[in-house]
Amino acid sequence: MKRYLPTLFIILGLIAFYFYRYKRAPDLEFSELEIVAEDGRKTNITSELGEHTVIHFYASWCGPCIGEINSIRQNAEMLRTLGLTFIFITDDTDEKIALIRENMPEEIKFFRINNLSDAGIYTLPTSYFLAGNEVLKKQVDVFDWSNKNELERITFKR
């Protein structure tokens, strides 16, 4: 049994690393996150925040991300009535952003970041629900954007 302990510790360490890195949304300092707007200007994300904002990290190659983007598009009217502002952030090229942008509601803002991993984002999609500058919820993986009750609970629980 003693000779298997090092292997067991290595396996447990790898599992812990996996969950720490890939199954949690990092604590981000949004005021330090430099993003590039669609017109090419560099900006700070805090200047784009609304009263209730969802910051959504995605990539065009990510199947669950595309499914979630379609869900946001399909539920846009309900999301609008909740007063949610959406900010989409990706490290995709401008051309790929434009392809996704053309089917989305006009009020959704799209930004590019140099590299998602520079922000500590390793799992997609990842969303942050904010009230002003306060993070109310972090969501790693797909969220059900048709669930109005859950959205109201998250955004108005203050």
Side-chain angles (χ1 to χ4, degrees):
M1 179 66 177
K2 280 187 175 181
R3 67 183 160 153
Y4 296 114
L5 281 177
T7 304
L8 179 63
F9 284 124
I10 290 171
I11 291 171
L12 290 174
L14 289 172
I15 290 170
F17 173 77
Y18 171 79
F19 279 98
Y20 178 78
R21 184 158 186 180
Y22 296 105
K23 290 298 181 185
R24 69 173 187 84
D27 294 328
L28 291 179
E29 186 58 51
F30 290 109
S31 62
E32 296 175 9
L33 190 61
E34 188 175 280
I35 53 177
V36 179
E38 291 178 85
D39 62 7
R41 69 180 163 81
K42 290 183 180 180
T43 187
N44 184 291
I45 200 165
T46 54
S47 65
E48 305 294 332
L49 298 178
E51 186 176 348
H52 296 285
T53 305
V54 176
I55 299 175
H56 183 71
F57 292 91
Y58 79 96
S60 61
W61 52 261
C62 167
C65 297
I66 298 304
E68 193 166 36
I69 288 169
N70 288 332
S71 177
I72 291 169
R73 183 177 44 77
Q74 291 166 355
N75 292 290
E77 187 57 40
M78 182 264 296
L79 297 169
R80 199 175 293 117
T81 63
L82 291 174
L84 293 176
T85 300
F86 277 86
I87 297 175
F88 281 38
I89 301 176
T90 186
D91 58 3
D92 283 339
T93 64
D94 291 335
E95 294 78 23
K96 290 180 181 178
I97 293 171
L99 286 173
I100 291 177
R101 176 83 180 103
E102 68 186 30
N103 294 318
M104 295 301 288
E106 192 173 299
E107 67 270 11
I108 293 178
K109 301 172 186 177
F110 283 78
F111 295 94
R112 189 172 34 80
I113 189 171
N114 188 39
N115 193 325
L116 289 171
S117 62
D118 291 347
I121 303 296
Y122 295 101
T123 302
L124 296 172
T126 295
S127 298
Y128 291 81
F129 294 81
L130 287 81
N133 288 325
E134 178 188 355
V135 176
L136 301 175
K137 178 179 174 54
K138 300 175 194 178
Q139 174 71 35
V140 176
D141 291 326
V142 176
F143 183 80
D144 180 7
W145 296 100
S146 65
N147 189 339
K148 185 176 182 178
N149 292 334
E150 177 67 7
L151 285 163
E152 286 176 336
R153 189 189 65 73
I154 293 167
T155 56
F156 301 109
K157 71 178 182 181
R158 299 196 314 156

